[in-house]
Amino acid sequence: MPPISGVPAQKRPNWLMAVLRSCLHMLWMLVTVMPWAIIMLVASIRVRGKPLWWMAVRWLGWAIGGARVLLGIRTHVIGWENLPTGDTAPAILLVKHQSTFETFLMPTLMPHPLAYVFKKELLYVPFFGWAMGRLDMVHIDRSQRNESFAKVVEQGKRLLAQGIWVIMFPEGTRIPRGQTGTYKLGGTRLAVATGAPVIPVAVTSAKCWPRKAFIKTPGVVEVSIGKPIPSEGREPKELMEEVQAWIEGEMRRLDPEAYAPQR
């Protein structure tokens, strides 16, 4: 066998298997997302709101199920008891962002529909973005920050009143394993403006599905749901500092190897 650059000889069989499994999972997502997106686009002519959302979650469940079967990625969730109860109980989920995995995973876990706050460019992604555009979410233009936040508050109040939870990644982008991004205040500003509690969530997805990586590896992704943090009477900066402290502390507890001092 010719040498594989950067891969020790003793690890080549496992590496090749990871490549094969990753290719199969990518193929699985491609062959399922296209017909399902078309079905959703057609269904959205008559079906909107929560029924269309749960149609979308069906495909996300296939993607996560495919990751479990084809990639060997399992999930372990703690903190279920911290989720608010009641059909219209509001919540704003602020989630650690390490990879695409938690973007797919969170809707399959939550008992309420979720409204992602995302940049409008994602709407142009073939099939996946087209289907997202038919869902009740908040897409923003980053070039118009003030107008965008006013839109987030306006739509956020409406969605929360309907029992739809808002989900945001406060770091704004996927962060490499063992690192901390800059926690932006959009999520806590929305919480203070609406009075909704914040639910911090730590996710160790990069152990198996690293940021921007094609090759994924088997393992367990830990998801820890924190206790609701009240937003009434708080300042967004001080509230986000509390959210960040909890998430980053929990990340170090769940994945201590990633945060070990470099020698």
Side-chain angles (χ1 to χ4, degrees):
M1 175 186 292
I4 302 174
S5 176
V7 181
Q10 65 272 22
K11 293 187 177 180
R12 285 173 194 165
N14 290 339
W15 185 84
L16 290 172
M17 181 58 69
V19 171
L20 175 61
R21 296 173 78 165
S22 298
C23 287
L24 288 173
H25 186 252
M26 179 61 69
L27 180 62
W28 166 249
M29 290 202 298
L30 287 174
V31 300
T32 55
V33 73
M34 289 186 284
W36 197 249
I38 292 171
I39 290 171
M40 283 193 58
L41 290 171
V42 173
S44 68
I45 298 173
R46 290 181 173 272
V47 179
R48 298 304 293 268
K50 293 181 181 180
L52 192 66
W53 165 259
W54 294 117
M55 283 185 65
V57 173
R58 175 83 55 92
W59 180 80
L60 294 173
W62 291 347
I64 295 299
R68 183 176 62 253
V69 174
L70 298 173
L71 299 174
I73 298 177
R74 295 171 289 116
T75 58
H76 177 243
V77 184
I78 60 174
W80 290 112
E81 69 279 3
N82 294 324
L83 293 175
T85 57
D87 291 341
T88 58
I92 296 175
L93 304 177
L94 298 183
V95 184
K96 179 72 178 179
H97 199 17
Q98 291 191 325
S99 77
T100 305
F101 186 79
E102 60 268 11
T103 307
F104 291 169
L105 177 66
M106 294 306 295
T108 70
L109 298 179
M110 293 298 129
H112 285 236
L114 302 181
Y116 280 87
V117 179
F118 61 92
K119 57 185 180 182
K120 68 175 185 178
E121 288 80 5
L122 291 178
L123 296 173
Y124 308 130
V125 177
F127 298 103
F128 183 81
W130 302 341
M132 279 181 60
R134 306 302 292 173
L135 299 172
D136 207 352
M137 297 193 184
V138 184
H139 38 90
I140 59 175
D141 184 346
R142 290 185 173 179
S143 66
Q144 301 178 0
R145 293 188 179 275
N146 291 334
E147 294 84 350
S148 292
F149 183 70
K151 179 181 179 181
V152 170
V153 173
E154 177 186 354
Q155 295 193 25
K157 287 180 178 179
R158 176 179 59 83
L159 294 166
L160 291 166
Q162 297 173 9
I164 297 172
W165 292 351
V166 177
I167 179 170
M168 300 177 72
F169 299 113
E171 292 164 293
T173 188
R174 291 165 289 180
I175 303 299
R177 183 184 179 195
Q179 296 185 24
T180 301
T182 300
Y183 279 65
K184 301 173 179 64
L185 301 183
T188 50
R189 287 177 66 194
L190 175 61
V192 170
T194 61
V198 168
I199 311 293
V201 182
V203 184
T204 64
S205 55
K207 290 196 295 184
C208 305
W209 187 317
R211 169 179 177 263
K212 297 182 179 180
F214 175 76
I215 299 174
K216 293 86 175 179
T217 55
V220 178
V221 172
E222 302 277 356
V223 180
S224 180
I225 303 168
K227 294 181 179 180
I229 304 175
S231 63
E232 295 180 356
R234 305 288 296 272
E235 292 295 326
K237 183 175 185 297
E238 164 266 321
L239 180 56
M240 184 57 78
E241 287 173 352
E242 183 175 347
V243 169
Q244 177 176 349
W246 187 90
I247 290 177
E248 293 303 322
E250 189 70 354
M251 291 298 298
R252 283 157 177 77
R253 187 186 73 81
L254 296 173
D255 191 13
E257 179 183 325
Y259 296 91
Q262 299 295 321
R263 294 182 178 180

